[in-house]
Amino acid sequence: MFFFLVLFFRITPQVFCLTLYVLTCLYPLPEPQDLFQASQMKFEDFERDLRKLKKDINACLGETEKVCKVSSEENLQPFKEKMEDFLTQAKTELETQEKQLADTQKIFLELSVSFSVKPKAGEKEVSPNTFFSVWHEFSSDFKEHWKKQNKLLLQERVKKAEESFKQARQKATYNVTTKNATGIVRHILFFFFFPTFLLFLTREDDAV
């Protein structure tokens, strides 16, 4: 397949290896920047935001009830129906977010225990900052070494590709030369024996 791409599309081994490297060589760990952002998160902030959202929904519910009380029956719809649908959906989504946050916090604490991470002084529980800061440093250092090793591997691949490409070109040149030589021999044999064959046929006709 490699020889086909190189010979047919006339791409160099370097371009082929670089393309293959980009397509197949993916960093195996979370990106350091993602881990850094995770370390800045606080469960308390999410809980506070959800409490504020719940307070806003309750305030919206109270205002809706006030409007419905002072409005006549002919003016209630479609306001009442639309607001009821909106508030029902808002409460459902809020409950879903609260459950997801609680589940995430539980999984995070279990993960911290499995890695034997202890809370820092002044913390009741392991915080995302404590846990992900360690992983951020590890991933940053690992990525630097990973880049260096991949650069060396890429250089080796390019070198092997150049050697394979060189051998393929030599083989292709050899095959073409052999084919041309065979064609020349066939032409020589044809032009040498064909007149003799015609002369033989002529003599046979004269004899008859």
Side-chain angles (χ1 to χ4, degrees), residues 2-97:
F2 167 72
F3 298 128
F4 172 77
L5 292 173
V6 171
L7 295 175
F8 185 79
F9 294 103
R10 299 183 183 279
I11 63 174
T12 63
Q14 293 90 335
V15 173
F16 178 82
C17 285
L18 286 172
T19 304
L20 185 64
Y21 172 80
V22 172
L23 292 176
T24 61
C25 195
L26 300 176
Y27 185 57
L29 297 179
E31 290 291 338
Q33 183 62 26
D34 295 337
L35 292 170
F36 174 77
Q37 292 179 354
S39 69
Q40 302 304 304
M41 296 181 182
K42 296 180 180 179
F43 288 111
E44 295 82 1
D45 293 341
F46 293 111
E47 292 172 351
R48 183 176 62 252
D49 291 340
L50 290 178
R51 285 196 300 268
K52 183 178 183 302
L53 183 58
K54 186 175 184 178
K55 183 178 179 181
D56 292 340
I57 292 175
N58 291 331
C60 183
L61 176 61
E63 292 297 324
T64 301
E65 291 176 348
K66 289 180 182 179
V67 172
C68 291
K69 285 181 180 180
V70 299
S71 300
S72 58
E73 288 294 331
E74 59 270 15
N75 294 327
L76 278 178
Q77 302 300 340
F79 172 78
K80 182 179 180 180
E81 181 180 355
K82 289 185 177 297
M83 288 305 299
E84 287 177 349
D85 292 341
F86 168 76
L87 291 170
T88 300
Q89 183 178 359
K91 289 180 180 179
T92 301
E93 292 182 359
L94 177 62
E95 291 174 356
T96 301
Q97 293 296 324

Side-chain angles (χ1 to χ4, degrees), residues 36-199:
F36 174 77
Q37 292 179 354
S39 69
Q40 302 304 304
M41 296 181 182
K42 296 180 180 179
F43 288 111
E44 295 82 1
D45 293 341
F46 293 111
E47 292 172 351
R48 183 176 62 252
D49 291 340
L50 290 178
R51 285 196 300 268
K52 183 178 183 302
L53 183 58
K54 186 175 184 178
K55 183 178 179 181
D56 292 340
I57 292 175
N58 291 331
C60 183
L61 176 61
E63 292 297 324
T64 301
E65 291 176 348
K66 289 180 182 179
V67 172
C68 291
K69 285 181 180 180
V70 299
S71 300
S72 58
E73 288 294 331
E74 59 270 15
N75 294 327
L76 278 178
Q77 302 300 340
F79 172 78
K80 182 179 180 180
E81 181 180 355
K82 289 185 177 297
M83 288 305 299
E84 287 177 349
D85 292 341
F86 168 76
L87 291 170
T88 300
Q89 183 178 359
K91 289 180 180 179
T92 301
E93 292 182 359
L94 177 62
E95 291 174 356
T96 301
Q97 293 296 324
E98 289 175 339
K99 185 178 185 304
Q100 288 180 349
L101 178 60
D103 292 342
T104 302
Q105 190 170 11
K106 180 181 178 182
I107 294 172
F108 172 75
L109 293 176
E110 292 175 352
L111 182 66
S112 302
V113 172
S114 65
F115 279 95
S116 301
V117 180
K118 303 296 182 181
K120 288 183 177 180
E123 291 182 343
K124 295 181 180 180
E125 297 175 339
V126 177
S127 65
N129 182 266
T130 301
F131 183 83
F132 288 111
S133 293
V134 177
W135 279 102
H136 171 249
E137 295 177 3
F138 172 77
S139 182
S140 299
D141 295 339
F142 182 84
K143 191 170 186 178
E144 290 299 321
H145 293 288
W146 179 81
K147 285 181 178 179
K148 293 178 181 178
Q149 291 299 320
N150 273 280
K151 186 177 181 180
L152 294 175
L153 290 174
L154 179 60
Q155 291 174 350
E156 293 179 2
R157 290 181 182 179
V158 170
K159 185 177 180 180
K160 290 181 180 179
E162 288 176 342
E163 293 176 355
S164 300
F165 180 69
K166 184 178 180 180
Q167 293 176 1
R169 290 188 62 181
Q170 291 176 349
K171 185 177 180 181
T173 304
Y174 173 77
N175 291 337
V176 171
T177 304
T178 304
K179 184 176 180 180
N180 291 339
T182 304
I184 293 173
V185 171
R186 288 177 179 175
H187 281 82
I188 293 174
L189 293 175
F190 176 79
F191 286 109
F192 179 79
F193 287 104
F194 187 69
T196 306
F197 179 71
L198 290 178
L199 181 61

